[in-house]
Amino acid sequence: MIWNETIECMDREEMRKLQGIRLKRVVERVYHNTPFYRKKMQEMGVTPDDIESIEDIVKLPFTVKQDLRDNYPFDLMAAPMSEIVRLHASSGTTGKPIVVGYTRKDLSIWSEVVARCLTAVGVTKQDMVQVAYGYGLFTGGLGLHGGIENLGGTVIPMSSGNTQKQIQLMHDFGAKVLACTPSYALFLGETIKDSGIPREEFLLKTGIFGAEPWTENMRKEIEESLGIKAYDIYGLTEIIGPGVGGECECQNGTHLWEDHFFPEIVDPVTLQPVEPGQQGELVFTAITKEGMPMIRYRTRDLTSLNYEKCACGRTAVRMARILGRSDDMMIIRGVNVFPSQVESVILELPEFEPHYLIIVDRVNNTDTLEIQVEVRSEFYSDEMNKMISLKKKITDCMQSVIGIQPKVKLVEPRSIERSMGKAKRVIDNRKLV
Ligand code: DLL
């Protein structure tokens, strides 16, 4: 099933024309309504008249997270505050939060794109969806919520946490779909197992997971643990929240809803467009937003785009799994290491649980990398020899993938703290110095 066939399967030339018209409109809007953008465009000598087609997007300035902080709270709005009907915010790890505002039309676009994501993975109005993303300033809960209502499904607005109750209601209500972070999905799977309720008594069949990077191996792990199909949903507060894109049943890339969010991939250093299909930093322009449109917003997410038509029939461009954020990349003794590489090694090995912690530090001016990982109970042993050889096995695998030798610490099952929202798996103590 396809929610909006005209758009999702639109011919590429036609899509580019539509994007061009919308780009011109949004550039006019921000030029006249948002002093920040007008100033930046004037500095570059660009006016809305220079924008004739989507190709002209490269004439426009980039926007970065710091710009949102500098314009805190409302200076990037392109609509009067009387037109703003909802605010969301994201705090990040440091500094002031970033704030975004939505007009009524923005909310209706949001519920449209989330409905597309839900339909693309087979969710229908017959289905009950348990939303275990956080509700509140975070966009996850309310974003999914609006899409499910638009689709006509039944929402269970659980929010995150309260894990025992999540399980109980999922079971008693017969939820078919679960929406939460992949790390919380793992925790819920573990908790169901512990509850002693037979898994067959749950009607769950589909998971809609996102808000944090996750690997293909993590997908397999979750699918097995919950007995479901697990799909990716992508988004970010600055652009709209969840639903900037979502996977279809082919599980072969995340379709981006490019009639609303125009994607580019640029080299994060030179900021020039990369060759088609190459990996780089994802940049979005929200070409239909009214409240707070973003122009060429640098997401810091690293991925690549595939414009081939998908087996599902959609022509909407597909984004590869996010490798990580450029600011998540750790440089350890000069070597670039992504948490996703560490995750894929751990999940490749049957002896380990998908729960781990990466601790980076600097001792005597040398970077250290410690990986704590839980050993599955069937492999956990009091025999020293067994544990030593297990440790050697994972250390060798890590070294061959990440290029440096980590210090691995094997820990008991269930000893690493579980996450109910976005998992925090990296502790970089070097930043404290
Ligand atoms: O996480 C919005 C969201 C909510 C998406 C629920 C999906 C589901 P932020 O808190 O602003 O918004 O974080 C956005 O999270 O730039 C990525 O780095 C990361 N991210 C989001 N979805 C995915 C995903 C929400 N599917 C940041 N895969 C983004 C990998 C993701 N990373």
Side-chain angles (χ1 to χ4, degrees), residues 16 20 61 66 117 156 224 228 305 307 327 374 379 387 432:
R16 288 189 74 81
Q66 190 59 39
C117 297
I156 314 176
E224 269 164 35
I228 59 170
L305 296 180
Y307 284 89
D327 34 17
E374 287 183 13
F379 293 95
M387 297 307 272
L432 301 174

Side-chain angles (χ1 to χ4, degrees), residues 90 133 138-140 144 209-214 232-238 241-243 299 301 322 325 422:
S90 142
Y133 286 113
F138 176 55
T139 53
L144 262 295
F209 304 134
E212 63 185 6
W214 53 312
D232 186 52
I233 185 164
Y234 171 80
L236 60 163
T237 315
E238 295 86 328
T299 63
D301 290 328
I322 306 266
R325 296 173 53 79
K422 293 181 193 254

Side-chain angles (χ1 to χ4, degrees), residues 24-42 48 71 74-81 83-84 103 106 289-293 295:
K24 188 168 176 61
R25 216 180 287 152
V26 81
V27 169
E28 272 162 8
R29 181 177 189 89
V30 296
Y31 191 84
H32 296 297
N33 297 349
T34 316
F36 165 81
Y37 284 115
R38 183 165 56 246
K39 181 163 173 277
K40 268 181 110 173
M41 286 175 62
Q42 281 168 344
N71 288 282
F74 303 139
D75 285 354
L76 287 185
M77 300 292 171
M81 285 309 282
E83 297 297 310
I84 301 292
T103 64
D106 295 336
K289 281 269 281 300
E290 293 180 336
M292 207 175 114
I295 304 292

Side-chain angles (χ1 to χ4, degrees), residues 115-126:
R116 289 185 201 171
C117 297
L118 294 162
T119 309
V121 298
V123 181
T124 70
K125 69 189 295 283
Q126 311 298 335

